[in-house]
Amino acid sequence: MERLGTGIGWRPEIADAVERMPGVDWVEVVAENVCPGHQPESLLRLRARGVTVVPHGVSLGLGGAERPDEARLNALAERAAVLGAPLVTEHIAFVRAGGPLTASDPLEAGHLLPVPRTRDTLDVLCENVRIAQEALPVPLAVENIAALLSWPGEEMTEGQFLYELADRTGVRLLIDVANLHTNHVNQGEDPAKALAELPLEAIAYVHVAGGYERDGVWHDSHAHPVPRPVLDVLADLASRVSPPGVLLERDENFPGPGELERELDAIREAVELGRTSVARSAVDACPPPPRGSARASAAAGLPVAPPTGTGPARQRLALAQTALLSALVAGTPAPEGFDRVRLGVQARALAAKRAGVVARVAPELPEILGDGYRAAFLAYAQGHPLRGGYRRDAMDFVEFLLLDGRPADPGARRELREWWLDRSGPAPRSTGPAIRAARAARRVLLRR
């Protein structure tokens, strides 16, 4: 695996600081935020200096019951080619459910949700990873995620699940040590045990990020300084294997350049501490892949045999994931075996994140609604799941308010109506039920 060194997540808000930051060997960008034909000038300057850029996908949903969407795979492949990336990364998570496999309306989570660590999931995930590997021009690495809740009836630990995934597909791993810490606090899972079970030679690179604890729940916020326990997990990993790359993630609440540089220094120190420790060697911690395994085949450049017969597993996984996501975003009863308190925490977190994204996509709405925006959106979200993009969500939210005669202030309501009309476009010609309903709503709004 290519040695990446020390890196930082590139975001527009800190682009200038990243360019001036000493010792940054590479950066990672959110793949969905990069337009191949219009790369930010900052990224172009970094690439011209020889800084490696890795696209990091967030919407593929490799852990979902459906096969990966071809358009999303093509977009990820295009970004990898345009950026000259040595690899691309995604998450072991599901982000949507419903649809044809369950004969129900599709639902979007707007967030990375954990998959059940079962044989069914592993079979589906292995096939989805294989499909992605075949569609991408460079190697794929997949990331373990943080979770506020756990599935009942799991059959494997996180380390065992990741080991089998890498062993069966030859896929590389992006290990997020902050997520291991999150799952330690939230699920009682031992990070050291997970590291001991991992195929460490499959690691592509490592993520490090901050978070915060509230009421006994750790929130992986990417908006706070990296805490000491996360650095300790990083040092433990570095005592077992020399990671090809380590990257600091920060997505909001950005500090000044000096604080970011201090966090990068702390990451380097943790890696060095691990390297010089007397912990078990990487050879002791992780034996080489067995002959005939997919990892051994991938390492030798041989084709990896695909898994087969995933149809029934996909059906079962689709039903389970749809039931969970519906409980989280549509208010349906909690599936049997789940912790209802944790489901409530996750549901509120999803709604809050959704409100925040809509506010960024449509910044005029918080301006028009003022302090009432957040409460109004959270009330709306309880009965209106995310079914499309966030721009559509913003339009539906405003339509909901206007049809309900809100806001009470006539001036604000007039501003909101003008905002909606400016973006709703002409009345469509289609006669479908959804279009007829939208047209009727538009007529009502035009009369107000």
Side-chain angles (χ1 to χ4, degrees):
M1 182 63 209
E2 178 177 330
R3 304 299 299 185
L4 294 168
T6 303
I8 189 169
W10 185 93
R11 302 292 183 267
E13 296 87 344
I14 56 173
D16 291 342
V18 169
E19 284 191 65
R20 296 192 298 267
M21 209 170 286
V24 171
D25 303 307
W26 65 292
V27 298
E28 180 190 78
V29 296
V30 176
E32 289 80 355
N33 292 347
V34 174
C35 180
H38 301 279
Q39 294 180 56
E41 291 296 326
S42 173
L43 278 185
L44 292 175
R45 287 192 292 268
L46 287 170
R47 291 184 58 207
R49 282 166 34 193
V51 175
T52 298
V53 180
V54 174
H56 185 53
V58 297
S59 65
L60 198 54
L62 288 172
E66 297 279 358
R67 288 173 174 81
D69 179 74
E70 184 177 354
R72 287 189 173 90
L73 277 175
N74 290 340
L76 192 56
E78 182 182 18
R79 283 150 179 79
V82 165
L83 294 170
L87 79 164
V88 296
T89 58
E90 247 289 355
H91 298 82
I92 302 170
F94 79 101
V95 298
R96 60 188 65 88
L101 280 175
T102 58
S104 61
D105 290 337
L107 296 171
E108 292 281 342
H111 189 69
L112 303 166
L113 293 176
V115 300
R117 298 178 200 139
T118 62
R119 291 291 166 188
D120 273 356
T121 304
L122 189 60
D123 289 343
V124 170
L125 179 59
C126 284
E127 184 171 46
N128 287 351
V129 164
R130 178 185 60 80
I131 292 169
Q133 287 172 317
E134 291 177 351
L136 295 169
V138 293
L140 169 69
V142 291
E143 178 182 359
N144 60 301
I145 71 162
L148 291 178
L149 53 87
S150 59
W151 286 79
E154 293 196 311
E155 299 165 356
M156 285 169 273
T157 66
E158 182 161 37
Q160 291 167 342
F161 190 79
L162 293 174
Y163 190 99
E164 286 221 27
L165 173 64
D167 196 50
R168 288 172 55 174
T169 65
V171 74
R172 297 190 180 278
L173 300 177
L174 162 50
I175 297 301
D176 191 315
V177 293
N179 291 348
L180 292 179
H181 172 68
T182 300
N183 295 343
H184 168 64
V185 176
N186 294 348
Q187 318 292 353
E189 298 177 357
D190 182 2
K193 184 174 187 294
L195 292 176
E197 292 173 338
L198 289 178
L200 296 176
E201 80 287 350
I203 292 177
Y205 61 89
V206 178
H207 270 173
V208 184
Y212 65 94
E213 187 172 350
R214 178 183 295 162
D215 299 328
V217 176
W218 185 267
H219 296 267
D220 180 47
S221 67
H222 292 192
H224 295 78
V226 178
R228 173 49 54 185
V230 171
L231 293 173
D232 290 342
V233 179
L234 175 61
D236 187 4
L237 184 150
S239 75
R240 302 165 185 268
V241 66
S242 177
V246 183
L247 181 125
L248 171 66
E249 287 188 291
R250 189 75 174 239
D251 292 333
E252 52 186 297
N253 190 27
F254 297 100
E259 184 174 336
L260 288 173
E261 290 177 25
R262 285 190 291 274
E263 292 212 45
L264 287 173
D265 287 340
I267 286 171
R268 294 185 187 96
E269 290 170 6
V271 171
E272 187 59 29
L273 177 64
R275 285 174 178 160
T276 56
S277 73
V278 293
R280 291 176 301 168
S281 69
V283 173
D284 294 332
C286 185
R291 293 182 64 186
S293 71
R295 282 190 294 128
S297 297
L302 301 175
V304 176
T308 57
T310 59
R314 287 186 184 277
Q315 186 79 47
R316 291 188 292 269
L317 184 60
L319 292 170
Q321 290 181 338
T322 302
L324 174 59
L325 186 52
S326 182
L328 290 173
V329 303
T332 57
E336 184 178 354
F338 281 94
D339 184 325
R340 285 170 171 76
V341 174
R342 287 294 172 88
L343 279 181
V345 172
Q346 181 71 83
R348 289 190 293 275
L350 290 179
K353 179 179 180 180
R354 185 175 158 195
V357 175
V358 167
R360 291 196 294 273
V361 168
E364 303 88 356
L365 301 186
E367 293 176 5
I368 296 171
L369 296 171
D371 293 339
Y373 165 76
R374 188 174 179 83
F377 188 91
L378 293 180
Y380 155 80
Q382 288 180 355
H384 299 79
L386 180 64
R387 299 188 187 278
Y390 286 105
R391 287 179 175 79
R392 179 72 258 170
D393 203 26
M395 293 289 291
D396 291 344
F397 167 57
V398 172
E399 183 178 310
F400 167 78
L401 290 181
L402 292 172
L403 290 174
D404 197 42
R406 292 187 284 162
D409 177 70
R413 190 164 62 251
R414 184 170 54 254
E415 280 191 76
L416 209 58
R417 183 181 64 180
E418 291 173 355
W419 183 92
W420 190 89
L421 292 174
D422 283 345
R423 290 158 179 78
S424 62
R429 298 294 182 187
S430 170
T431 58
I435 296 302
R436 288 200 304 271
R439 186 182 300 149
R442 180 180 170 83
R443 286 197 297 269
V444 170
L445 293 171
L446 285 168
R447 290 198 296 268
R448 287 176 180 266

